[in-house]
Amino acid sequence: MSVLHILTEPFPDQKPGTSGLRKKVTIFQQPHYLANFVQSIFDSLQGFEGQTLVVGGDGRYYNREAIQIILKMAAANGFGRVLVGRDGILSTPAASCVIRKHGAFGGIILSASHNPAGPKGDFGIKYNIGNGGPAPETVTGAIHEHSLRIREYRVLDAADIDLTREAIHSLGGMQVEVFDPVTDYAALMESLFDFEAIGSLLRSRDFRMRFDAMHAVNGPYARAILEQRLGAPAGTVMNAQPLEDFGGGHPDPNLTYADTLVREMYSEDAPRFGAASDGDGDRNMILGDHFFVTPSDSLAVLAANATLVPGYRQGLKGIARSMPTSQAADRVAAALGITCHETPTGWKFFGNLLDAGLATLCGEESFGTGSDHVREKDGLWTVLFWLNLLAVRQQSVADIVRDHWARYGRNYYSRHDYEGLDLTSADALMSALRTTMASLPDKVFGDYRVKYSDDFQYTDPVDGSLSTGQGIRIAFTDGSRIVYRLSGTGTEGATLRVYIERYEALPEHQQQDAQDALADLIRIADEIAGIRRHTGRERPTVIT
Ligand code: G16
């Protein structure tokens, strides 16, 4: 088998976003497009000769073709071994687990997360480093630079590998091991949670749960763990078969896109517990009977109850949350006497904190929670954590959350998304906001007085790197906040996200609907940024 040196030209649009390179499938299908990016990844790394690379994806359209290209390029570039999930499947948290467990040099994960899939949908690729987490900005920056200079890539002239069966193959001088994508991950979950207690809860007559895998990657994981290992009745996992187009759906576990599950959880005969995860299995949504747990509250509740779970019995070293995530976790951290770190949006910012032992639990408002067990957010882990709490506390989801509010206060929270905006008007809105920002401190809007406003920046406490322009934050004297930022994960136009938060200490005022409780701040958010004026939109596309 010979190594082919293929001449190519750079593509100017290969700058990785919040979570790798995400584009329409049709863009990835252009000749050389994927190969250029993969070569740029390899060119930005050093010392991987003879080492192990983990490869897998969420099973979406183009996953298998992409994996064949990556395998042949890894062989041509000198990797010693590639571990690839059977059928090309690996959830993002499972990939992180496998990289860590097998001491791999790194991994390539193929996913566009929660974005729709299929020939007209999205595809994505990202590189994870040896700690199992997303490459930090120094690495993604180097990948981008290489992509702008690339002139040639290397690929082995070889036949495709059969990914449908577990087996060991050789590809040139490299070994390819097709392995079961669930085993290592399931063993890790079993080491963290009380499977006996969760199993008896799931098998008891008066408990019923639903897990919506949304025809995405977590179906096989959820079936193996919840149904086969823990004994939940067959059918507990719905939409369990991963499909290349996710069944035509939008596997984003929120109140809008997981509507079948949401309807069931708000029906007369609602199960006690409901959960969903996204395309690549790292996001989660948690529901009780007629009750939605905001991701920010979920992080705070997990942190406050962590010592009830075997894997966290020793307590937490710290908590980390992304800046737009509500400050509910900060109150738990204060009560526990530990630090709550505030990072920019993007899981990659948690990696150093976890590696350095500065945080144990992390979470983001964007339906992500996780811990130092891997270096990605982890949908099924969150579900098992909640099940473990339900089993120990023998209370409903709603009661656990209400108890939490009664003790720590409630951070009313909502995110308003304006999707598919014209890029120019979204940029204009943000730059006008950057100008207005300076004049806001001390200004009064109804009952609210602005305390400070800034464009969030973050200095990593471990490596000192600085990240600027991470979102406009307007803080009010009563602890309320409005945050504006543009999404870094969309593939069409721009998405403006507005995050609104208000703290309520008194239990008698904690039972309002979040949109009602936040109505004044929602109006102020429009008044300050001129959202309607800039975007021409009367209302958000998605409210969570
Ligand atoms: C990715 C990152 C998350 C981040 C989210 C933000 O999520 O992994 O850490 O919170 O993007 O998205 P946006 O920039 O659109 O607000 P995922 O699940 O898409 O990989």
Side-chain angles (χ1 to χ4, degrees):
M1 274 175 257
S2 57
V3 172
L4 305 176
H5 292 248
I6 310 283
L7 295 180
T8 186
E9 292 287 328
F11 291 92
D13 64 343
Q14 297 199 322
K15 186 175 189 326
T18 316
S19 203
L21 185 68
R22 287 185 191 165
K23 301 277 175 197
K24 293 273 158 219
V25 165
T26 45
I27 292 188
F28 273 102
Q29 285 170 325
Q30 298 172 84
H32 312 309
Y33 192 89
L34 176 76
N36 269 22
F37 191 74
V38 172
Q39 188 65 53
S40 304
I41 294 176
F42 294 158
D43 287 346
S44 69
L45 306 174
Q46 272 166 4
F48 59 76
E49 286 74 15
Q51 302 278 325
T52 299
L53 181 72
V54 172
V55 178
D58 62 12
R60 66 176 61 223
Y61 185 81
Y62 199 57
N63 191 46
R64 283 172 300 176
E65 290 86 334
I67 289 181
Q68 298 293 348
I69 294 172
I70 293 166
L71 291 176
K72 291 169 199 171
M73 290 185 65
N77 278 274
F79 275 95
R81 181 168 73 136
V82 172
L83 300 177
V84 55
R86 192 184 55 240
D87 291 322
I89 292 285
L90 264 183
S91 76
T92 293
S96 186
C97 158
V98 171
I99 292 170
R100 294 168 67 79
K101 180 163 179 178
H102 297 273
F105 186 86
I108 292 182
I109 302 177
L110 303 162
S111 169
S113 188
H114 51 287
N115 295 6
K120 295 202 173 98
D122 291 349
F123 190 74
I125 173 169
K126 72 169 181 173
Y127 178 70
N128 278 28
I129 57 176
N131 74 353
E137 286 190 334
T138 42
V139 177
T140 54
I143 296 173
H144 181 221
E145 271 172 33
H146 280 281
S147 80
L148 295 172
R149 289 201 309 260
I150 190 166
R151 289 282 173 259
E152 163 191 307
Y153 61 84
R154 294 187 288 290
V155 60
L156 199 70
D157 186 16
D160 283 359
I161 295 280
D162 177 11
L163 298 178
T164 63
R165 264 186 299 264
E166 288 157 47
I168 295 178
H169 305 264
S170 45
L171 192 59
M174 187 182 84
Q175 201 183 74
V176 177
E177 189 174 332
V178 182
F179 69 100
D180 174 55
V182 177
T183 310
D184 288 333
Y185 178 80
L188 179 59
M189 293 303 112
E190 190 158 3
S191 75
L192 296 171
F193 299 109
D194 185 343
F195 269 32
E196 226 164 273
I198 299 174
S200 46
L201 176 74
L202 289 175
R203 289 189 301 270
S204 72
R205 273 167 192 271
D206 50 349
F207 186 85
R208 201 157 55 84
M209 81 165 277
R210 287 291 256 169
F211 180 90
D212 189 351
M214 303 187 88
H215 285 305
V217 78
N218 253 353
Y221 293 88
R223 262 202 180 145
I225 296 173
L226 298 175
E227 294 184 6
Q228 285 147 24
R229 177 68 187 77
L230 291 164
T236 294
V237 182
M238 59 203 263
N239 301 321
Q241 178 65 33
L243 298 174
E244 282 201 328
D245 65 349
F246 301 142
H250 191 154
D252 196 358
N254 61 35
L255 295 172
T256 303
Y257 294 124
D259 55 333
T260 316
L261 174 73
V262 171
R263 268 201 305 274
E264 191 173 338
M265 295 307 297
Y266 283 82
S267 70
E268 234 167 72
D269 187 29
R272 298 264 299 276
F273 182 61
S277 58
D278 71 334
D280 60 332
D282 57 359
R283 295 186 175 202
N284 75 85
M285 175 167 66
I286 300 294
L287 298 160
D289 178 354
H290 289 77
F291 196 87
F292 164 64
V293 185
T294 70
S296 299
D297 276 346
S298 180
L299 172 65
V301 170
L302 300 187
N305 291 280
T307 52
L308 299 179
V309 171
Y312 305 92
R313 202 140 273 159
Q314 308 307 321
L316 307 177
K317 296 173 184 150
I319 306 174
R321 64 161 175 86
S322 67
M323 181 274 281
T325 303
S326 97
Q327 301 161 98
D330 304 39
R331 296 185 179 270
V332 177
L336 294 174
I338 54 177
T339 305
C340 185
H341 302 268
E342 186 175 39
T343 61
T345 294
W347 205 263
K348 60 186 171 212
F349 292 102
F350 295 138
N352 278 348
L353 299 173
L354 296 170
D355 284 351
L358 295 173
T360 306
L361 296 190
C362 316
E364 296 186 287
E365 52 64 39
S366 56
F367 295 83
T369 25
S371 86
D372 56 1
H373 69 292
V374 289
R375 293 294 180 273
E376 289 280 2
K377 54 188 178 279
D378 191 341
L380 207 44
W381 170 91
T382 311
V383 172
L384 290 165
F385 205 127
W386 268 95
L387 283 169
N388 204 145
L389 296 188
L390 295 176
V392 174
R393 291 189 48 165
Q394 296 287 321
Q395 278 176 297
S396 70
V397 171
D399 286 345
I400 290 179
V401 177
R402 288 196 185 111
D403 278 2
H404 185 92
W405 293 339
R407 173 151 182 217
Y408 296 95
R410 175 174 181 184
N411 289 71
Y412 280 107
Y413 186 81
S414 183
R415 184 176 104 183
H416 288 202
D417 296 335
Y418 298 79
E419 296 179 337
L421 298 178
D422 161 65
L423 285 174
T424 329
S425 40
D427 284 341
L429 181 149
M430 289 303 283
S431 59
L433 201 49
R434 288 198 168 91
T435 317
T436 325
M437 206 173 71
S439 64
L440 291 177
D442 285 331
K443 231 177 163 173
V444 174
F445 296 86
D447 296 338
Y448 299 89
R449 177 189 292 273
V450 177
K451 187 172 173 195
Y452 67 88
S453 56
D454 64 0
D455 193 351
F456 182 63
Q457 58 176 47
Y458 175 69
T459 305
D460 186 297
V462 179
D463 64 19
S465 58
L466 175 70
S467 305
T468 56
Q470 298 294 325
I472 306 227
R473 176 166 73 155
I474 299 173
F476 298 89
T477 48
D478 70 341
S480 298
R481 295 193 313 171
I482 300 173
V483 172
Y484 306 82
R485 61 177 280 279
L486 296 182
S487 156
T489 58
T491 57
E492 248 164 303
T495 295
L496 170 70
R497 302 203 194 285
V498 186
Y499 312 80
I500 307 125
E501 172 181 6
R502 175 166 84 76
Y503 180 68
E504 179 57 67
L506 298 175
E508 57 272 32
H509 294 157
Q510 288 171 356
Q511 309 306 329
Q512 271 187 74
D513 171 74
Q515 300 307 312
D516 294 340
L518 296 168
D520 288 343
L521 284 165
I522 291 169
R523 266 193 302 276
I524 296 169
D526 183 43
E527 186 182 335
I528 292 178
I531 301 172
R532 278 187 282 185
R533 180 164 43 83
H534 279 285
T535 66
R537 298 283 177 85
E538 283 304 313
R539 60 190 64 81
T541 334
V542 177
I543 296 182
T544 41

